[in-house]
Amino acid sequence: MPRRSSSTGSPTGSPTTPRNRTPQPVRVHRRSFGDFVKAFLAFVALLVLVVGVPVALATQLGWPIPSTWDPQEWLTNELDVGAFLGILTFFVWLAWAQFTACVIVEMKAAVSGVGVPGRVPGAGPSQLLARQLVAALLLVGATAASLTPGLSQLGQSLEGNQRGTVAAAEQTPGGLFAQQQEQAASTAAALAEQASHAEAGAGASTAKGGDTKYYRIQPPEGRHHDSLWEIAERHLGDGRRYKEIYQLNKDRVQPDGSRLSEASLIRPGWIMEMPGDARGGDLVEMPDEAPNVSPEVQQQISDYAKTGDQAQGGGAQGGGAQGDQAQGGGDQSSPDAHVSVPEQRPAPDRHADHRQPAAPHATGSTQDGSSFGLPEALLAAPLLAAGLLGALGRRRRQALWQSALGTVGGRRGMEPPTPTGSAADAQDALLVGADPEGVRLLDRSLRGLAASLAEESRALPTVYAAWLSNGDLHLQLAQPAGKPPAPWQLGQDQTFWMLARTDAERYEDTDTAAPYPGLVSLGTMDDSRLLLNLESVPGIVSLSGREADRAAVFASVAAELATNGWSDRMTITLVGFGQDLTPLAPNQLRHLDGVEDLIETMEAETRQRRGALGAAGHDSVLTGRTGPAQHTRWAPHLVLLAAQPSAEDAVKLAELAADAGRLGIGYLVGTETGDLPGAAWEMEITGEGKLLAPLLGLELDAQLLPVPQQQAVVELFVQADPEHGPDDPATTPPFLVDVSEQGRPAVYARLVGPYEIIGLDTPDGDRSALLHEALALLLLHREGVHPRVLSSALWPRGVTEDVRDALLERLRAWLGTDPDGSPRLRTDATGRLTLAKSVVSDLDVLRSLYHEATQGRGVDSRVVRGRLLTDALVLVRGPLLADRPEGRYRWLTHEIVDAQLPLLVADIGLALSAFHLEKDRAEKAIEALNAALGSAPVDERLWHELLRATHATGDTARLQALTADLITRSGARGLPPRTEALLDELLPTWRDGAVAAG
């Protein structure tokens, strides 16, 4: 096959764009004197251990082979000092043989470049020592292969029906972390050696240096699966150049008929075209110059090269054009691609409109990390946003209930504060970016797995990481743990357990402790989201980079762990940052002033946990979480230390963290230099928002929570705090309408009960339901709705901007205009959609009537107050949007209107009851209270007032019947203490009746 050079021109005479668009030379590592000293000492140590030890044993103690093979003689010999020395000598010989085997295995793997060497049975420490010595020796020698597995290769083939995945987190379990730094240096030195040879040959022939090269994906024999990152690292000198290889080969037909569609999904037997500056001996195969390549492989490469020519169109430019051409032709993958490794199901983009250009009325669209007025940091963090949104909703409901119990007439806090400015943008971003369904499925899946393993009396496996890819969940285990319980399946190999989204949806809530509460989102790679289990790391996880970038990562980790659904009873200790974050979860976030306080606290907790584990007979917290004490012990604890500790403090932290993975404690420590003692995993955050972990094979788009977004989110929580002052200017009155005859609206929507609209014709076609839902959302948010919040609510799985804009135009046309010609659907100065005052809902009228009765005209006129309260209670026809179709209005789960409406109805019922009891009209009061209980059946205040009103009638039998009904409703929980106290006052003999009924 003729070779193609990137420097040749096209047939038309115009120069062809080089196939390698962004060549990067391999950096040459200059060996220092220290490198030679290390290599010399390693050579001496190996010589002494491999040669010196057996010579000394043979000359001083003799050979391990016995002089006689008679077992009877061995059994009858006297057990003296000589026999004891003989046994000891035999075991020394055995240890030497094992170590020598480790040296041979490590030397063979390092020189041949096959990746992770095989394991010598029972030789953990010996093999680690051999690996260090071999790496140090090869630091100044010939080619040394990478000795550290990556966290990036997920999706290679397996036999049977095992699924592939898009991205992975592979890490060899146990004991390798301390050597990763030195092993990386060995790899860099070996690549530098290759680069030196390549530079020497480059001057001989420029054309030859640019020749097209190919690499054939090797099967995982004696090592872990290959990945584009490792191929780029070995043959291009930089793992981050894997994208160049991906672009050169994207969508091209492989020998098995399938195509490369994901940057991390490669299979043995595939062929990869390489950039022109690729180096690395015969691993980069050129069929016309590689005699060791079989004719079959040569033919495969030749056929593959033709697909490249076709994808380039004979003279197309670069890898990007190639990808475009392939995309234009559609995906013609053969059915065989689904047999060994099923293709990943493409997930619809939930937020497709996120990447659309900003609308003309949008403000602040591209400044300070925002897009279309909303902060991208929150939009790109669906699990974090869902956790924050859920916690914010709980905080607001708590504030409502506490406010409701504070007083009966003129309740404060009927409306939660309306955020403004950056806080409003943050709230909108949470509404748009949140993926509560993803959080729910992840939580149920993990708890369901723990419950299934407990039923089988199996321990929880140690999990290093989890990947969410197109709705599927992939767990990476520290080591093989057998076959997972159904519906889980094995992934690409024995260290991956996979659960498809369709199977995850079968799980229901279970009363099981969260098994992996330390999982936290770090970022995305190839459209897959990585959650690293910080709790399981056998040591410290270090994070280097600029202080502001590190703080954004730390804040994201703290906020997600404090508010997500799968971190039961998590304690997060913040040191050196985050004092302002504590309002997010005051019971879980703890701030310490300095490292000294941290060390003192963690020394005590480490001792306590070790003692508790020993007393319970557990090896780790994982076994405890599936046992009887799962709800009372083994709560997770994560330490976030943003500032770099001193050398002495770093050593103390490393000692504490050495056993942290077993104790359920995780340490994430910031460092300015990237050099931290005891760091098991090392990461770096760049100024471009990339989270790098080269030794783990990771390059992620980091999940961040910068300071402006931190402040905006915290402001939302502070405003929603139950202790927030009632007279705070942030507290807004409800949207009020004119309740007189002159205030008749042009459009009237009935939301409290079945949904009805008066004043508009019913839209024709299938879009009617969508228009009704959009109008309901706008009516419940009179302050305005961001267009992206609207589209996210109506299309949770994503929608394009043109579809959204078309709906808004139809909504404007449907609502029409006021008599003065102004549209009833408008856009305010911030770009949010608002309704004209002529469009009103019964909820608006309900609030206005209650406000007018208790704070307006009804204050000075008893007659007016009674009429307004009666009119308000008549409006209540049932729960909000009682007849809404299944599958729609899911955005109501983010709202607190479901808590507001019952409280408002209860307030109206209580006020009307008080109004009637003032004139001793007990029957009227009972009627009003029963009407309110229809919408607020669990409001204790209504039952108390109903007991008082019934007592006012003087009918003891009726009061006893009501008490019996209350006792029946309370069930096994029993009556609340305040209700019991009230009954003791009104009906002292009620307990005798309760015992008789029981």
Side-chain angles (χ1 to χ4, degrees), residues 293-300:
V293 176
S294 66
E296 180 184 1
V297 173
Q298 291 188 26
Q299 185 61 44
Q300 289 178 353

Side-chain angles (χ1 to χ4, degrees), residues 584-826:
L584 300 182
N587 296 328
Q588 292 180 274
L589 289 170
R590 176 178 63 178
H591 181 268
L592 297 180
D593 293 331
V595 182
E596 295 79 8
D597 295 337
L598 173 66
I599 292 176
E600 181 180 356
T601 301
M602 297 314 298
E603 284 178 345
E605 181 167 345
T606 299
R607 287 195 301 269
Q608 186 271 333
R609 291 199 175 214
R610 284 173 178 163
L613 280 176
H618 293 303
D619 296 329
S620 73
V621 296
L622 290 179
T623 56
R625 282 180 187 154
T626 55
Q630 56 178 305
H631 295 294
T632 58
R633 295 184 180 179
W634 329 126
H637 187 177
L638 180 63
V639 174
L640 303 180
L641 175 57
Q644 179 167 349
S646 65
E648 181 180 356
D649 290 337
V651 172
K652 293 180 180 178
L653 285 174
E655 293 173 353
L656 289 172
D659 200 24
R662 189 176 68 92
L663 302 176
I665 304 175
Y667 291 85
L668 180 61
V669 181
T671 171
E672 298 175 0
T673 62
D675 185 12
L676 189 69
W681 293 347
E682 297 177 344
M683 299 185 296
E684 175 189 359
I685 179 65
T686 69
E688 294 75 29
K690 294 289 186 180
L691 190 67
L692 308 179
L695 298 182
L696 304 179
L698 290 177
E699 180 181 3
L700 303 171
D701 293 322
Q703 179 172 296
L704 307 172
L705 188 60
V707 172
Q709 281 73 59
Q710 293 178 39
Q711 296 173 344
V713 169
V714 169
E715 183 180 348
L716 291 173
F717 279 79
V718 171
Q719 290 179 359
D721 194 282
E723 302 299 326
H724 203 50
D727 300 325
D728 193 282
T731 302
T732 5
F735 174 77
L736 302 177
V737 299
D738 186 356
V739 293
S740 66
E741 287 294 330
Q742 293 75 22
R744 187 178 298 273
V747 178
Y748 182 65
R750 305 177 74 180
L751 305 178
V752 184
Y755 191 2
E756 299 177 15
I757 298 180
I758 302 171
L760 293 176
D761 295 331
T762 302
D764 296 330
D766 297 334
R767 299 189 181 96
S768 176
L770 210 57
L771 291 173
H772 279 75
E773 186 174 356
L775 180 57
L777 178 62
L778 292 167
L779 285 167
L780 293 176
H781 290 277
R782 304 303 304 227
E783 74 278 7
V785 177
H786 197 288
R788 293 179 67 178
V789 174
L790 179 68
S791 61
S792 178
L794 299 180
W795 294 281
R797 295 182 178 273
V799 68
T800 57
E801 187 175 327
D802 58 336
V803 174
R804 181 194 66 200
D805 291 343
L807 174 76
L808 292 179
E809 288 304 317
R810 282 190 290 272
L811 185 60
R812 284 191 178 95
W814 182 42
L815 293 175
T817 59
D818 284 333
D820 60 0
S822 58
R824 291 172 181 154
L825 179 61
R826 304 167 181 177

Side-chain angles (χ1 to χ4, degrees), residues 817-846:
T817 59
D818 284 333
D820 60 0
S822 58
R824 291 172 181 154
L825 179 61
R826 304 167 181 177
T827 303
D828 65 11
T830 65
R832 288 173 171 81
L833 302 167
T834 61
L835 292 173
K837 291 186 177 181
S838 60
V839 182
V840 174
S841 74
D842 55 355
L843 186 57
D844 298 329
V845 176
L846 191 66

Side-chain angles (χ1 to χ4, degrees), residues 66-68 70-80 82-84:
S67 57
T68 176
D70 185 3
Q72 188 69 25
E73 182 181 348
W74 297 349
L75 295 175
T76 56
N77 282 343
E78 182 181 355
L79 188 61
D80 54 8
F84 207 60

